[in-house]
Amino acid sequence: MKRDPYKNKERWERWKETHFSKNQNGIRKDDWKIFIEFLNYMEL
């Protein structure tokens, strides 16, 4: 496993917990769904 001195993995996991389940203001629901699918794909 790579070293992560800036804790990017932890920050990413916290961001996912708070933002993946709810739609953001100013973004249409369909667009938000596409964005989340893209982020999930990129995470792989």
Side-chain angles (χ1 to χ4, degrees), residues 7-40:
K7 310 279 190 245
N8 289 325
K9 177 103 174 137
E10 290 176 23
R11 288 175 40 209
W12 170 245
E13 294 298 327
R14 272 187 281 136
W15 190 90
K16 283 191 330 184
E17 288 175 8
T18 55
H19 293 93
F20 266 39
S21 61
K22 62 181 178 180
N23 190 18
Q24 298 299 306
N25 293 336
I27 300 176
R28 291 185 316 177
K29 187 176 182 178
D30 294 336
D31 293 340
W32 183 250
K33 182 180 174 186
I34 292 169
F35 179 64
I36 295 300
E37 288 174 5
F38 171 75
L39 290 177
N40 283 328

